[in-house]
Amino acid sequence: MAINGLSKMAATALLLVLAIVPAALAVTYTVGDASQWDSGVDYTTWVKGKTFRVGDTLEFKYGPTHSVNEVNKAGYDSCGGTPIDTHSGGDTTIDLEKVGTQYFICPTPGHCANGMKLAVTVVAASSGTPAAPTPPSTTPGTPSTPGSPPAAGTPGTPASGSTSPPPPKASGASKGVMSYVLVGVSMVLGYGLWM
């Protein structure tokens, strides 16, 4: 009977861990850390060394004299323009949902011009840097005569010193789906332990 109770406890712990794992993969960044979204903070320095991935969240915490506008590159450079989205209220969370650079400014006059602006480059959830596609070779291969080895550079034979590209990495979506599949399987197995 003690072993059965131990098995139930282990199954419960496993379920808990697997339920938490998907949420643990995403990161919430408080913009500016302890300094938050405020004048006098160097956000270019704050971004350095951080890797923002699809699924992460930016949290802007700020006082009543500030707000957050999401803008395009031109709006970021000029500290103006038509905002893509506007936020106020002191605590704004923005989910990073797509690969690319997102731009944010404080629209209070003079704040952006004095450095209260943020550019965040978001990468795919599965890797730190997006992989550049390798263009196919446009040089046709030299025909070979039957019985002779194929010429270097022809399809099927790599040129000397070349390597084939690595297989593509799993997407962040497939990682998330796999986590939920594991949770589901664990729940079914855990249910079996109680029956």
Side-chain angles (χ1 to χ4, degrees):
M1 191 68 170
I3 292 176
N4 191 17
L6 186 60
S7 296
K8 287 181 181 180
M9 233 171 38
T12 302
L14 179 64
L15 283 172
L16 235 107
V17 168
L18 291 176
I20 293 170
V21 166
L25 296 176
V27 177
T28 297
Y29 293 94
T30 299
V31 175
D33 294 326
S35 300
Q36 302 179 349
W37 184 240
D38 202 359
S39 300
V41 179
D42 184 352
Y43 293 102
T44 304
T45 301
W46 179 79
V47 166
K48 286 185 182 169
K50 292 176 177 61
T51 302
F52 301 94
R53 299 180 190 280
V54 170
D56 289 347
T57 301
L58 295 177
E59 183 175 22
F60 291 82
K61 294 184 176 190
Y62 47 94
T65 61
H66 303 298
S67 57
V68 181
N69 280 5
E70 183 175 357
V71 295
N72 60 18
K73 173 84 166 100
Y76 176 83
D77 291 339
S78 69
C79 288
T82 304
I84 296 168
D85 206 354
T86 60
H87 306 275
S88 59
D91 194 355
T92 298
T93 56
I94 296 174
D95 295 328
L96 302 176
E97 299 174 338
K98 61 184 186 261
V99 173
T101 304
Q102 289 182 250
Y103 303 95
F104 305 93
I105 64 169
C106 178
T108 302
H111 290 196
C112 176
N114 288 324
M116 201 170 168
K117 59 185 186 174
L118 174 68
V120 173
T121 301
V122 181
V123 298
S126 63
S127 68
T129 55
T134 307
S137 171
T138 56
T139 311
T142 309
S144 59
T145 56
S148 67
T154 58
T157 358
S160 62
S162 71
T163 59
S164 61
K169 295 182 179 181
S171 74
S174 67
K175 285 182 179 178
V177 168
M178 184 53 105
S179 295
Y180 288 108
V181 167
L182 288 174
V183 169
V185 168
S186 298
M187 291 175 78
V188 169
L189 293 175
Y191 180 75
L193 289 174
W194 274 277
M195 291 292 129

